[in-house]
Amino acid sequence: DNGVAVGYNLGTLTAKASETIASIFMYDLQGRLVCGKPFVGRAAISLTISCVPGVYMVKIKLGSGGTIVKKIFVSRNLSC
């Protein structure tokens, strides 16, 4: 929905959008920053991360100024 897809698989957080992604940040449910990239400048990004199983919020700011927040579920720590 909103032209933005977010996923986590094998230690990689991915995001794809129908427009430019300005920034992406991932937070745990306590509001702590897990990872992020402040200047993306393209419509797709992959970040290698390490996180424990749980629920996380991914906040994406688009080039048009809009902000999208997506919830992701990590069932196992499969990071590098």
Side-chain angles (χ1 to χ4, degrees):
D1 70 68
N2 298 323
V4 177
V6 177
Y8 176 86
N9 190 28
L10 301 174
T12 302
L13 174 68
T14 58
K16 293 181 183 176
S18 58
E19 61 180 280
T20 301
I21 297 171
S23 64
I24 181 170
F25 295 97
M26 182 171 146
Y27 300 90
D28 66 15
L29 291 183
Q30 287 74 42
R32 295 178 294 217
L33 179 66
V34 175
C35 70
K37 187 162 177 78
F39 305 105
V40 177
R42 50 187 195 270
I45 185 166
S46 294
L47 298 173
T48 301
I49 62 170
S50 178
C51 60
V52 298
V55 179
Y56 295 87
M57 304 304 287
V58 179
K59 182 177 179 182
I60 298 171
K61 185 167 184 182
L62 301 172
S64 62
T67 300
I68 305 292
V69 178
K70 298 277 189 169
K71 185 186 307 183
I72 63 167
F73 301 91
V74 175
S75 60
R76 293 185 286 167
N77 186 357
L78 298 172
S79 62
C80 300

